[in-house]
Amino acid sequence: MQMDKRIRFGRWEAIMLITNLICTKVFLYFNRMTAEDTGNAGWMMAAFTSAMALLFYFLVMSLYGKFEGMDILDIAEAGGGKVLRTITGFVLGGALFVLAAITMRKFSEDIKTISLPTSPLSYVMGFFMAGVIIAGLLGVESIVRHNAIVTPIATAGYIVILLGIMPNIDVTNLLPILGTGLKDILMKGFYRTSVFAELLVLFMLPPFLENPGDARKVGYVAITASSFFFVTGSLVYTLVFPYPTSMEPFLPVFNMARLIGLGRFFQRIESLFVFIWVMSALVYLSTVFYFGVYTVSKAAGLKYARPMMIPFAIILFSAAFLPVDLLSVIKIESEIINTWGWAVTFAFIGLVMIAAGAGKRAGRGTKGR
Amino acid sequence: MSFIIRQLKKYLFFEEPEKRERFILRPGARPADEEGSGSFEKAKEKKKAESEKAPEPGDEVKSDIDANLTHMKDVYSIPVNSDIVLREFDITYGCRTVRAFIIFFDGMTNTEVINNYILKPLMVDSVMPLKDTAENLEGYVMRQLMPHCQVNISRGYKKAVEAVNFGGCALFVDGLSVCFTADVKGWDHRGVEKPNNEIIIKGPQEAFNEVLRTNCAQIRKRLKDEDLIVEDILVGRVSRTPCSILYIKDVANEALVQEIRRRLEGISVDYMLDAGELEQLIEDSTVYPSPQVISTERPDYTAELLVSGRVAIIVDGSPNVLVVPITAFDLMHSPEDNYIRFPYVNLLRYIRYIAGFLALLLPGLYVAITNYHHEMIPTDLLLAIEASREKVPFPSLVEILLMEISFELIREAGLRVPGPIGPTLGIIGALILGQAAVAANIVSPVLIIIVALTGIGSFAIPNYSLAYSVRIMRFGFIFLGALAGFLGITVGLFMIGSWSTALKSFGVPFMSPFGPKTSGRYKNVIFRAPEWKMEERPDYLNPKKKRKQAEYSMKWKHGKRKGEQD
């Protein structure tokens, strides 16, 4: 164990952080989305999407070699000066805020539907906000360590659900095996690499890692682990719910948990799932929010991110109310975030690295902080 | 008004955060600020320099006995102070008589030792012919007239006064600008008794008492290691309470020991009377509900923790010893865990964690389920609960608060009630938390079971201080459960979890070895591995020696028997 005055954490913590960020959407909508896109072949699309994400990540990381140990803002500054750093910071910070706002709204709407139907949405969201603010004020060390504890527990809970649902499996649900067709699997699967959008937090992590060279491995392991959950989740979901039912626009994993019955006494244990789900959501929101504020602060050249937490939390709270209703949230999520997220995570970051590499060769830019 | 303006400004305008030294326990033995030489060597040099240090101006002992007499009378407010004894007498030195006086507290000293080994030799034996006539008066008194094992020479009043205040006596001799102090403590104290609070079935049955050196000896006699260091330090500007820092020199991280020295030296209070006070003055976070220091009354447990690379602090006058650093999981360990077989320990640990869970969350979960998650309760049980609650006029929150507060009242009263009327409290308690409350339709029978389970759960938590924190947090979870059901409880758990992961106990992350992850997580944290598998000390303590037993600790299993062929 290595400890120093500088805040840093190990590979395991980083893997758990990124895996939780990517996989939280399994609880929310991922399985339903794959069923909508490709019918019974959702699990194939999940596998293809994961493979594409690995390929894109490989391509981006092949540009990263020259900037080992630097985060994306330092890379931008090193190659393109303060202007590129500021642009990059605001784009990434903005993307993280959109993710945080939409996810918070979605989680709050779902919790309201499941547990607190008579409470106002702002009341439910207030609880999430309280958690996010506290975690943000306590800092990255706390967030990352909390991730390292919560993610394995959430994973275990998820696996219990998958195992508990086994008696309800019907193998014929997999047929027709290619679902809505190979074209959908490939085309929609390509766009759905956006589900790995949270990988952009990884590009802010290297300075915090004990061994900055671990960033590359962290990404590969996190993508592979997430792929496992995406594929198994989609597969089990398809096996349990026939195609028409699987497109019901409501929490897929929650619906699966509802089917679990252990004898006459334990018939409705899905509420227990709320614990795993809310905990996972809080860890997700606090991480995305913290890195959003951190990215914007660093891009703006501010020395401290902490004083920005409460003002940005208020902005986040307000932004989460911008979509008119749950259907608007689902639409934004499906048509914007999960369709074009790859453009920020892979294309934009790749372009910044190319620009930084070119700038560095031309002698432009300044030394990253 | 200025306070309000200051507070408003604090919220409206950004202020540069105050620079605070934040200690983090790193691997390697040397503290960051002392590259090149170990803190242990520095401490040695410092102690040596302190003992050789000349007294401050005005504090020097005078060679004139009358001046010394006046000064000591003035310091001890003689004759107003009635328990101080000042005895004047003469010493025969060669062919002349020298005036002297001795000063000590009655009741704090052993007068038999003073009479036989200090006064008698000085007053009677000095009349006998000198063995070494060349010796000066100071050497003569020190070497020949004070046949006592602990005598020191002091050149300043301050040290003499410190010695007298802590059960010593000071001897002043005319013509000498030094005084002699002897350790003649003799106050009444408890003997070594059985532990009162940390009771175990298997294992040693001795507890610490209030005497510093007895407590040190209790640890030393167990460890039998010359590398066990007992470093003394005085805490409290007025009380000058003697404290000892104990650690194993070749095991404990030097940076950790240095940090403990720094914190103890940095305490500026007039009086420090107990380990409980010291704990609050050295812990990392004073507002965090759980303790960040183990306070134990068991020498065997302290020895075990020292062996793992931790550091103990003994406070004179306190039967509890503080041990640092700790993690959240250490608080769920019992001293008995080391003495019973590992399958039993694991069972007991599961039970303790279940107990902790019940004590912390059960009332909150009850409120959450009855208010928000009825569907979770199987229909038969739901009908039974609802039928039992039918006549209760209160909502479940009020009902549970009534019972929990009553329970806390009974617990607190149970501690304060004089022995002879103790059974009365039991009867009253049974009325409140029992059938009478149900018959009066104030609470439902289910709730009595909930409160009883919660109470039993909190008693099963091995750390007394942690049980307190669970009691406090339980009320928080009851309110959160009432406010938003499982969502509220999960948010509460998340906040406590975030706070815990941000916290450190003397540089060690409080949630180690899971957040951050370090090695040895499955050896003795939640589960306990068999004794032969406990090969290494906790990684998060960064000890100097990682390994505490050989890879094959049961060599008899692997070695060949005598005369056995391959």
Side-chain angles (χ1 to χ4, degrees), chain B residues 298-347:
Chain B
R298 299 191 66 90
D300 56 309
Y301 190 38
T302 311
E304 168 72 24
L305 295 170
L306 285 173
V307 168
S308 67
R310 291 179 174 87
V311 179
I313 304 160
I314 306 180
V315 179
D316 185 64
S318 173
N320 291 304
V321 168
L322 307 176
V323 185
V324 291
I326 62 155
T327 67
F329 305 98
D330 292 329
L331 296 170
M332 292 301 269
H333 294 182
S334 153
E336 198 170 29
D337 291 0
N338 298 316
Y339 309 127
I340 53 175
R341 298 183 64 240
F342 94 99
Y344 316 155
V345 177
N346 284 319
L347 172 71

Side-chain angles (χ1 to χ4, degrees), chain A residues 308-323:
Chain A
M308 310 288 282
M309 292 295 165
I310 294 175
F312 271 83
I314 295 166
I315 296 170
L316 180 74
F317 188 71
S318 315
F321 279 103
L322 288 179

